[in-house]
Each structure stands twice: as structure tokens, then as C-alpha cells.
């Protein structure tokens, strides 16, 4: 049994196998209607619980569709329906769900909920997102980059903005896939030092550069994410906008990167805040390929978890 909890907790060779499987499955579906099943049905007879303490569009739809394409069935549960950690312990919830389903994907706030679920579950658990990390997204991002530009090893990735959970998983991926990462953003929003040091120990060059124009020099990929969360207060949103205004990804910033640099954003986006529409809809943007590849990457992750 394999849990998929974070990129740095999964063997490098196995991560590469997941990416290769995702690409093969995507190729096999080329030109087919979205609703048609895959030729292979590795999840036939399997039930997957999709738990959402946090609302979602891409994670919910991509996991649900992916399970169905592979012949399985899903049970979608919200945090309010389950009252995770309130009426029943996480450990007991994990033990009970393990008697009903073959795999659990959970999208939650506190990382401890994910870890406790995995510790007491008898079936594989997948991290659909926590406040600290978002590994499924970055597997899709690596896949997307390599579709357009070849191997990501040795490339320079620049993260502009908030050193959030997606940035954390990019740092994990830097160490595992062998690329370098430069963070540019305000000091109060730096990524956690433990993530920076882990990537450096794994052999990646990780730099923090406050000047975004200097940061993107030589970049093969420029990435950003939303500046605010739906749960932020109005005062928090205003403070974060003031901190991050200088780190917007716009035409001027992209022009300072390599001429063939790609732009990514995991979506949803607040256009004209963290990135301009000119960049998001421009020739260097691969944001919708990136969104589609959530489906293919997660299908490969689920197959790896179940060994099918």
C-alpha cells in the first residue's frame, strides 16, 4: 500500500514512473470524448472516497472524472457531513472508511488531519491539498512543463509572490526532479525554511531574490498563485495586496525571462492581481494544459497507490 502524501516522501524513480504513466494514459485518450472509459479499467470494482473540508473545482472534478474513466466509483463527502475531528476522531474515521472504500483522497486545512488519516487508514490516502502542501498540482505542473520543453532537470523555475502550499510542493519537486528554484516575494511571505533547506540538501539550487526582474533572468518557467484566500478577511486581503503588488507577473516581467519561458498558475486566478490577462492568455501561458493534466497525473497517482 502506497500513500501519496508529499512529493519528497515518494521515491524519485517512482515519481518518474507516475509521470510516464500519466503521459501514456493521456496519449491513449487523445481525440476521445471525455465521458468514454479508458480501454484499461484498473479501478473496476473499486470505490474511492473524496473528502473535501475545503471547497474545490479542479480537484473535485479531476479526481471524480479520473476514477470514473478508470472504471471505479466515487463517494464525495464534505467536511460538514463528516464533522472530521469533531464528533469522531480522525483515527476512528480512517478505520471506519477503510472498511468501506479502497482509497481515500482528502483536501483539508490542517496537515495533521491528513497525516493522522494516513496513519490509521488500511487503504491508500492521497493528499488533495493541505494548508502546507499541494503535491498533486505539482505533479501535473512537471508533466506540463516536460510536454512543452522536455526534461525539467537542470532547468530554472521562478516562483513569484506568496511562498504558500503550492510553492512548498514546488520546492519538494525541485529536490526530487533535479531543477533549481528561485523565490521572489516579500519577506513576510517567504516559504518555510524547512522546505528551502530540504531542497538544497537534495541537491537543488534554491535562491531568494527580492527583485523580481533579477529573479526571472534565465528562467525557464515562471509560476505564481493567488494572493488571497476566500477565507481571508478584507483587511488581510488589503495587506497582502500591498505586500505583493510588486510581484505581479506581467508582460514586462516575462520579457526578462528566457524568450521561450513558460508561465503557469494552478488556478483559480484573480486576473490583473497576481498575473495579468495578457500573460495568462498569451503565447507563453500553459495554464489550461496544466489544469487538464491534473486529471492525467492524478489517475497515474491513483494507479500507483493501488499498484494497478
Amino acid at each position: 500500500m502506497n500513500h501519496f502524501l508529499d512529493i519528497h516522501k515518494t521515491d524519485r524513480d517512482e515519481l518518474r514512473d507516475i509521470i510516464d504513466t500519466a503521459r501514456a494514459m493521456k496519449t491513449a485518450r487523445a481525440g476521445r470524448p471525455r465521458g468514454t472509459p479508458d480501454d484499461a479499467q484498473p479501478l473496476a470494482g473499486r470505490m474511492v472516497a473524496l473528502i473535501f473540508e475545503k471547497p474545490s473545482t479542479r480537484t473535485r472534478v479531476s479526481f471524480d472524472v479520473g476514477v470514473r474513466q478508470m472504471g471505479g466509483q466515487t463517494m464525495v463527502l464534505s467536511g460538514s457531513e463528516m464533522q472530521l475531528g469533531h464528533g469522531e476522531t480522525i483515527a476512528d474515521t480512517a478505520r471506519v472508511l477503510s472498511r468501506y472504500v479502497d482509497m481515500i483522497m482528502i483536501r483539508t486545512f490542517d496537515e495533521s488531519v491528513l497525516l493522522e488519516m494516513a496513519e490509521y487508514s488500511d487503504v491508500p490516502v492521497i493528499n488533495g491539498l493541505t494548508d502546507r502542501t499541494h503535491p498533486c498540482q505539482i505533479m501535473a505542473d512537471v508533466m506540463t512543463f516536460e510536454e512543452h520543453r522536455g526534461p525539467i532537470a537542470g532547468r530554472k523555475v521562478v516562483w513569484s509572490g506568496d511562498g504558500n502550499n503550492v510553492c512548498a510542493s514546488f520546492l519538494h519537486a525541485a529536490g526530487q526532479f533535479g531543477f533549481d528554484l528561485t523565490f521572489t516575494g516579500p519577506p513576510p511571505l517567504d516559504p518555510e525554511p524547512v522546505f528551502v533547506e530540504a531542497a538544497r540538501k537534495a541537491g537543488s539550487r534554491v535562491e531568494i531574490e527580492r527583485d523580481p526582474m533579477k529573479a526571472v533572468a534565465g528562467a525557464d518557467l515562471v509560476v505564481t498563485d493567488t494572493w488571497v484566500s476566500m477565507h481571508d478577511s478584507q483587511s488581510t486581503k488589503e495587506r497582502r495586496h500591498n505586500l505583493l503588488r510588486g510581484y505581479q507577473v506581467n508582460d514586462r516581467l516575462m520579457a526578462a525571462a528566457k524568450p521561450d519561458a513558460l508561465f503557469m498558475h494552478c488556478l483559480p486566478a484573480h486576473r490583473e492581481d497576481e498575473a495579468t490577462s495578457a500573460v495568462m492568455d498569451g503565447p507563453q501561458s500553459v495554464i489550461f494544459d496544466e489544469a487538464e493534466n491534473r486529471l492525467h497525473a492524478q489517475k497515474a497517482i491513483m494507479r500507483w497507490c493501488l499498484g494497478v
Side-chain angles (χ1 to χ4, degrees), residues 84-151:
L84 281 173
H86 300 290
E88 182 176 50
T89 67
I90 303 301
D92 285 352
T93 299
R95 292 183 179 109
V96 170
L97 284 179
S98 298
R99 302 294 181 98
Y100 299 147
V101 303
D102 300 285
M103 184 161 48
I104 299 167
M105 188 289 301
I106 183 167
R107 181 180 174 93
T108 187
F109 294 89
D110 195 331
E111 183 184 56
S112 65
V113 174
L114 167 77
L115 298 179
E116 189 172 353
M117 181 74 72
E119 180 179 357
Y120 290 97
S121 174
D122 292 326
V123 300
V125 173
I126 296 173
N127 177 0
L129 175 141
T130 71
D131 284 346
R132 291 193 81 201
T133 60
H134 195 3
C136 290
Q137 177 64 57
I138 306 311
M139 292 295 285
D141 291 356
V142 170
M143 177 183 175
T144 304
F145 182 89
E146 294 191 338
E147 281 182 336
H148 288 267
R149 295 291 184 266

Side-chain angles (χ1 to χ4, degrees), residues 105-228:
M105 188 289 301
I106 183 167
R107 181 180 174 93
T108 187
F109 294 89
D110 195 331
E111 183 184 56
S112 65
V113 174
L114 167 77
L115 298 179
E116 189 172 353
M117 181 74 72
E119 180 179 357
Y120 290 97
S121 174
D122 292 326
V123 300
V125 173
I126 296 173
N127 177 0
L129 175 141
T130 71
D131 284 346
R132 291 193 81 201
T133 60
H134 195 3
C136 290
Q137 177 64 57
I138 306 311
M139 292 295 285
D141 291 356
V142 170
M143 177 183 175
T144 304
F145 182 89
E146 294 191 338
E147 281 182 336
H148 288 267
R149 295 291 184 266
I152 198 168
R155 302 298 191 116
K156 179 180 177 179
V157 175
V158 175
W159 180 278
S160 182
D162 179 10
N164 63 9
N165 52 354
V166 186
C167 180
S169 286
F170 249 115
L171 284 164
H172 289 156
Q176 295 292 69
F177 287 98
F179 59 85
D180 299 328
L181 189 143
T182 297
F183 171 82
T184 185
L189 299 178
D190 279 352
E192 291 185 40
V194 65
F195 297 145
V196 173
E197 290 308 312
R200 287 172 175 164
K201 287 181 180 179
S204 292
R205 181 178 180 180
V206 179
E207 297 182 337
I208 295 178
E209 170 57 63
R210 301 301 174 197
D211 184 335
M213 299 298 290
K214 291 180 180 178
V216 300
D220 297 285
L221 171 62
V222 179
V223 193
T224 191
D225 194 6
T226 181
W227 291 346
V228 297

